[in-house]
Amino acid sequence: VRRAATCREAHEIIPRSDAPRAPSPYGRPVSTPERREAQVRRARLVAVVGVVLVTLYAVCAAVHALVLNPLAAVPGRTFGEIVDDIVASQDALGTWTTLAVLVGGVLIALTLLAITWLSAAPRPCHVAAWFLGMLAAGSPASFMASVGPATAVADTYGVSGADASPSGLVLHLVSAVAFLALVGVLVHDARRVGPVGLSRGTASAAG
């Protein structure tokens, strides 16, 4: 009888492997290696998708600034004729400046990808916020990239330097949607984690 009681006591002391894990000091379940690896994979996937989207945005902004907007500003002229007229007026389209601004954004996106890849435990929501912020910042970056070509066309033909192609509006709308998505991600993360890094349940218990 004493041996059976001892076995029962030992069974109660030793935790079962399928028992729920104790919460961490921050109110979250203790992270397992499998869960951490899945989180890293999701964060890396988000980073790769973010780089692709930022690159596509930069390509579209370059096409808008250097090709579509000049063609829309001067209807009836081909792109080659517009470039020849700008050169004849002792001006330049500003191709390299435009590309430098937009390629800079792609390089920043690649840097964020490298940071995500080298981090021990990157959070997917944080990585998503980085790239959504870059897409939101694409609107002013696109404006900066198009100033040179728009000014050259305006000075050569005496037209307005504002966007004449609807592709500029599409870029601004994409940035606006990215900004709204960024706000949503930050609010969701703040409600889940709490303002001081604690989960909502821990914060309520502390209050």
Side-chain angles (χ1 to χ4, degrees), residues 11-23 29-30 32 35:
H11 180 72
E12 293 175 356
I13 294 174
I14 300 175
R16 296 173 55 188
S17 60
D18 59 347
R21 296 179 179 271
V30 177
T32 62
R35 184 179 301 175

Side-chain angles (χ1 to χ4, degrees), residues 39-187:
Q39 174 180 312
V40 171
R41 287 195 299 269
R42 289 196 303 270
R44 290 177 175 177
L45 177 61
V46 171
V48 171
V49 173
V51 170
V52 172
L53 293 178
V54 170
T55 303
L56 288 176
Y57 190 100
V59 171
C60 293
V63 173
H64 162 73
L66 298 174
V67 180
L68 298 180
N69 201 49
L71 289 174
V74 191
R77 306 287 288 179
T78 65
F79 179 72
E81 292 172 344
I82 293 174
V83 173
D84 292 339
D85 292 341
I86 292 175
V87 172
S89 63
Q90 305 299 317
D91 206 341
L93 192 60
T95 302
W96 293 113
T97 302
T98 298
L99 294 180
V101 172
L102 298 175
V103 170
V106 176
L107 293 178
I108 294 175
L110 291 174
T111 302
L112 295 178
L113 174 63
I115 292 174
T116 303
W117 219 268
L118 297 176
S119 297
R123 293 184 57 189
C125 61
H126 289 174
V127 177
W130 294 346
F131 287 98
L132 287 172
M134 290 206 63
L135 291 173
S139 180
S142 175
F143 172 77
M144 293 173 56
S146 63
V147 167
T151 302
V153 172
D155 292 343
T156 301
Y157 293 99
V159 297
S160 172
D163 280 344
S165 173
S167 55
L169 178 60
V170 173
L171 293 172
H172 295 314
L173 288 177
V174 170
S175 292
V177 171
F179 177 78
L180 294 177
L182 171 61
V183 173
V185 168
L186 295 179
V187 170

